[in-house]
Amino acid sequence: MSMSARKPDDDKLDRIVAAARRAAEQRELGYRERALKMYPWVCGRCGRAFTRANLQELTVHHRNHDHDDNPADGSNWELLCVYCHDNEHSRYIDHVRGAGYDAPSPEPAAATSNPFADLKAMLARGKVGS
C-alpha cells in the first residue's frame, strides 16, 4: 500500500484541535473572569500583589485539580502566581505518583528455596564442590 493511499485528514485534525482549544479558552475565560472579580489580586501562597500590568501572571488554581469543577461560589478556586501554581501542580504530581517520601521500605521476600537442604547428605557422599 502506498503512502498516498492512507493519508491522514490533516484538515479534520486541525479542526478538532482548534475546537478543543476554543472550548478550553472559553471555559477558562468564564471561571478566570469570575475568580478575578471575587478575590483580591494577590497570590494565595506567596502573597505577591498584582496589577493590570502583570495580571497575566496570576492564575486560577483548582483546589481539587478538576478544571471542570467551577462552582458559582468559587469554592474550588484560589488565585496563585504562575510560580506557585507550577509548584502546586508539581507537588500534586509527586503525590499522585507516590514519590516515596513517606513510603515504608518494602518487606524482604521470604526465601522460597533452601540451597543447603541436602548438604549433610552431599557431604556424606563426598560430592560437595565436584
Side-chain angles (χ1 to χ4, degrees):
M1 178 184 287
S2 68
M3 291 292 287
S4 61
R6 294 264 326 174
K7 184 178 177 186
D9 187 353
D10 290 337
D11 291 337
K12 181 178 180 182
L13 183 60
D14 289 344
R15 286 191 305 273
I16 291 170
V17 169
R21 285 185 179 156
R22 277 192 308 274
E25 288 170 0
Q26 287 301 317
R27 258 193 329 269
E28 182 177 314
L29 283 176
Y31 67 76
R32 178 174 167 75
E33 292 305 316
R34 291 190 337 234
L36 290 173
K37 289 177 184 173
M38 274 184 192
Y39 297 112
W41 295 355
V42 175
C43 176
R45 297 290 159 81
C46 68
R48 179 178 164 200
F50 291 82
T51 64
R52 290 204 182 277
N54 62 356
L55 192 59
Q56 72 276 4
E57 296 175 24
L58 188 62
T59 64
V60 178
H61 172 64
H62 289 81
R63 295 172 194 236
N64 69 359
H65 298 273
D66 180 358
H67 291 198
D68 292 322
D69 183 8
N70 296 302
D73 67 353
S75 58
N76 188 36
W77 304 328
E78 65 181 327
L79 297 179
L80 299 177
C81 71
V82 292
Y83 306 108
C84 292
H85 197 202
D86 285 348
N87 179 264
E88 177 63 28
H89 279 273
S90 294
R91 290 177 45 225
Y92 178 73
I93 289 168
D94 287 345
H95 171 74
V96 168
R97 289 185 182 160
Y101 300 118
D102 297 328
S105 57
E107 291 291 324
T112 58
S113 67
N114 183 355
F116 304 109
D118 199 31
L119 182 60
K120 187 174 182 180
M122 288 183 351
L123 284 172
R125 291 191 304 260
K127 293 188 177 187
V128 174
S130 48

